[in-house]
Amino acid sequence: MSTLLNADFDQRVVIRPEDYQWVPSPMPGVERMMLDRIGDEVARATSIVRYAPHSQFSSHTHDGGEEIFVLDGVFADEHQPYPQGSYLRNPIGTSHTPNIGKEGATIFVKLHQFNERDTEQKAIDTTQQIWHPGLVDGLTVMPLHEYEGEHVALVKWAPNTQFKAHQHWGGEEILVIAGTFYDEHGSYPAGTWLRSPHMSQHTPFTKEDGALIYVKTGHL
């Protein structure tokens, strides 16, 4: 039976850390917090996945592509280790065998969401990349990927930064990595995931703790 979780992309979704419900994966030591999902074990899915130290996941091929941001610990496969802050893109048809070391790992992962023409494989250590000035004072941006209207970036918000009201053409997805993100609808501490539909609008800002967010736009 197919799982449908937050499967209506015309609806705004907010999931905060207190809403997390971890469920075991088919592999021991690997558990998932499902954020959205359409499908069964093979699914169009957005999840936070937690690997216990020395856990493994079976070898698998990415039929629909795989996008990962390493939130904590060190994710690894037969190719290399990917420390906290790594951004990975494994296009359709690639394969690997995750094998986690003593640190364990927590990753944000999106499956089966690649354009079939988007074939660029990436492994970016964001701790070594350059930040660029944003559209307003207090914002810096690190572009991670762009393809046919889809944009992925990290955005660093200094404390007490105000952004202008804007609409999300193609929708917007945010994972708050550090600090607290705000808009007129509420406050979103680290670990919060937000998905806003096509043509939604908000006016975001930060307070004294600033924020670091993963942002994806144009894909909904």
Side-chain angles (χ1 to χ4, degrees):
M1 185 170 134
S2 180
T3 298
L4 294 177
L5 175 66
N6 295 323
D8 181 353
F9 297 103
D10 291 328
Q11 297 297 313
R12 182 175 185 265
V13 181
V14 178
I15 296 175
R16 294 178 173 86
E18 62 265 28
D19 304 320
Y20 286 9
Q21 296 180 356
W22 296 97
V23 295
S25 81
M27 302 300 291
V30 184
E31 51 188 355
R32 299 181 284 211
M33 168 57 207
M34 298 180 183
L35 301 170
D36 65 28
R37 195 173 188 90
I38 302 173
D40 192 25
E41 187 51 39
V42 175
R44 182 211 185 279
T46 304
S47 311
I48 297 172
V49 180
R50 195 159 62 182
Y51 288 84
H54 305 296
S55 58
Q56 298 178 321
F57 205 86
S58 52
S59 180
H60 57 277
T61 299
H62 306 120
D63 295 333
E66 176 185 66
E67 179 181 10
I68 289 173
F69 188 83
V70 181
L71 298 170
D72 192 34
V74 180
F75 182 71
D77 59 17
E78 70 271 36
H79 307 298
Q80 68 183 82
Y82 310 98
Q84 179 179 354
S86 296
Y87 175 75
L88 315 177
R89 291 185 71 88
N90 294 313
I92 294 170
T94 57
S95 61
H96 68 161
T97 308
N99 190 355
I100 310 305
K102 66 180 187 299
E103 303 93 345
T106 303
I107 65 172
F108 174 71
V109 58
K110 297 178 69 65
L111 299 172
H112 282 261
Q113 298 176 44
F114 273 47
N115 185 314
E116 61 185 14
R117 297 183 302 279
D118 186 358
T119 58
E120 186 178 5
Q121 191 158 14
K122 289 187 173 181
I124 299 172
D125 181 353
T126 66
T127 66
Q128 303 298 314
Q129 301 300 305
I130 295 171
W131 291 91
H132 302 276
L135 292 174
V136 300
D137 288 345
L139 276 194
T140 50
V141 179
M142 182 187 298
L144 297 173
H145 189 68
E146 182 177 333
Y147 190 82
E148 290 189 358
E150 176 184 310
H151 298 265
V152 184
L154 293 182
V155 182
K156 191 186 295 182
W157 294 65
N160 304 306
T161 298
Q162 177 71 57
F163 199 73
K164 54 186 182 293
H166 61 281
Q167 279 189 311
H168 306 123
W169 179 266
E172 179 186 62
E173 185 175 351
I174 289 174
L175 180 68
V176 183
I177 297 169
T180 310
F181 184 70
Y182 296 84
D183 63 15
E184 66 271 38
H185 308 298
S187 63
Y188 315 103
T192 301
W193 178 76
L194 304 93
R195 195 187 69 202
S196 301
H198 173 59
M199 299 309 288
S200 56
Q201 180 174 315
H202 71 161
T203 309
F205 60 96
T206 53
K207 294 185 180 179
E208 59 279 352
D209 55 347
L212 174 64
I213 63 175
Y214 158 100
V215 185
K216 184 167 187 164
T217 58
H219 62 302
L220 299 172

